[in-house]
């Protein structure tokens, strides 16, 4: 039986049309969805749901929950970098995607977002990685949107390249995945790591 659901980003917690304007997504994919029904309490998630942010989110709303919190009844956002204990399982996560250009900057983006800020608002920051690196107790589960860089060395790399030929050059240059998540993986060594991209 399912005890809870974990989402590795692109959850799209969109409450209203204003949130749509704070989301980096092509116009043809810009739609309200059904989260607003959960947010209003009209519908309650059948299982406790824990999520992190990806690169297609309502950045304004997730910023309101920077340190984590209930996005809706029974739906918990881990924050930009967070850990919770749920049902005896320690779950950690980091929101966003890698960008070397923005990594060492602070979170300077604020609504109303300019075009580039719609994208940079989703970029992982060194400060958030630093916070997670301070963890002393091991996580049972860790979630990210990006893969940790180098993770392809721990699976069927040839099959991955057969299915995603365009990954071959990135793998050869050691650029596929997030260096920040690689650092976290090597340091925290959770029992399980789940990622979306």
């Amino acid at each position: 039986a399912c005890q809870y659901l974990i989402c590795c980003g692109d959850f799209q917690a969109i409450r209203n049309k204003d949130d749509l304007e704070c989301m980096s997504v092509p116009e043809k994919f810009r739609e309200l969805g059904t989260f607003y029904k959960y947010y209003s309490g009209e519908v309650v998630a059948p299982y406790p749901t824990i999520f992190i942010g990806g690169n297609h989110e309502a950045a304004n709303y997730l910023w309101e929950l920077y340190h984590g919190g209930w996005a809706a009844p029974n739906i918990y956002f881990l924050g930009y970098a967070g850990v919770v204990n749920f049902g005896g399982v320690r779950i950690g996560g980091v929101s966003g995607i890698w960008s070397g250009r923005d990594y060492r900057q602070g979170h300077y983006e604020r609504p109303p977002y300019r075009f580039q800020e719609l994208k940079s608002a989703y970029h992982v920051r060194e400060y958030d990685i630093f916070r997670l690196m301070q963890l002393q107790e091991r996580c049972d589960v860790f979630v990210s949107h990006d893969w940790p860089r180098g993770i392809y060395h721990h699976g069927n790399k040839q099959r991955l390249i057969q299915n995603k030929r365009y990954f071959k050059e990135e793998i050869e240059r050691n650029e596929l995945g997030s260096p920040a998540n690689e650092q976290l993986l090597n340091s925290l060594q959770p029992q399980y790591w789940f990622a979306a991209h």
Side-chain angles (χ1 to χ4, degrees):
C2 181
Q3 294 180 338
Y4 49 88
L5 175 70
I6 299 174
C7 179
C8 296
D10 289 351
F11 183 77
Q12 300 186 1
I14 304 163
R15 303 166 294 179
N16 52 49
K17 291 183 180 181
D18 289 337
D19 286 354
L20 283 175
E21 299 304 315
C22 296
M23 199 171 141
S24 176
V25 65
E27 191 66 39
K28 66 181 179 180
F29 296 119
R30 201 172 285 220
E31 56 185 64
L32 190 56
T34 59
F35 176 77
Y36 72 93
K37 293 180 180 180
Y38 295 91
Y39 180 76
S40 71
E42 178 183 337
V43 178
V44 176
Y47 302 104
T49 302
I50 300 166
F51 76 98
I52 56 161
N55 57 317
H56 301 296
E57 307 287 1
N60 59 322
Y61 184 38
L62 297 189
W63 180 251
E64 292 175 22
L65 298 170
Y66 175 80
H67 292 288
W70 295 102
N74 222 22
I75 299 176
Y76 190 83
F77 175 53
L78 268 177
Y80 281 58
V83 178
V84 294
N85 288 304
F86 189 86
V89 178
R90 187 169 163 86
I91 303 167
V94 61
S95 290
I97 61 171
W98 169 257
S99 169
R101 184 183 72 242
D102 293 318
Y103 183 64
R104 289 197 162 88
Q105 297 190 37
H107 292 284
Y108 61 87
E109 305 88 353
R110 298 291 180 275
Y113 299 106
R114 295 183 306 238
F115 177 75
Q116 186 55 39
E117 290 176 342
L118 277 176
K119 297 190 178 306
S120 65
Y122 304 116
H123 294 162
V124 172
R125 305 303 163 95
E126 184 176 36
Y127 172 72
D128 297 316
I129 299 303
F130 175 80
R131 289 174 45 220
L132 289 166
M133 293 291 288
Q134 306 314 302
L135 294 173
Q136 300 294 310
E137 189 179 326
R138 184 178 180 189
C139 289
D140 299 304
V141 174
F142 199 90
V143 293
S144 65
H145 195 58
D146 276 343
W147 298 354
R149 182 178 62 185
I151 200 68
Y152 38 82
H153 294 304
H154 304 283
N156 190 333
K157 185 167 37 172
Q158 293 310 317
R159 185 170 175 203
L160 175 63
I161 292 170
Q162 284 175 347
N163 290 331
K164 307 277 186 179
R165 296 191 191 283
Y166 50 91
F167 282 176
K168 186 173 195 261
E169 288 182 24
E170 287 182 74
I171 290 171
E172 289 171 353
R173 293 189 311 263
N174 197 31
E175 294 176 353
L176 181 63
S178 165
N181 290 348
E182 177 185 33
Q183 181 184 9
L184 284 173
L185 176 63
N186 290 335
S187 176
L188 302 179
Q189 298 182 4
Q191 188 172 355
Y192 297 98
W193 185 296
F194 299 106
H197 274 184

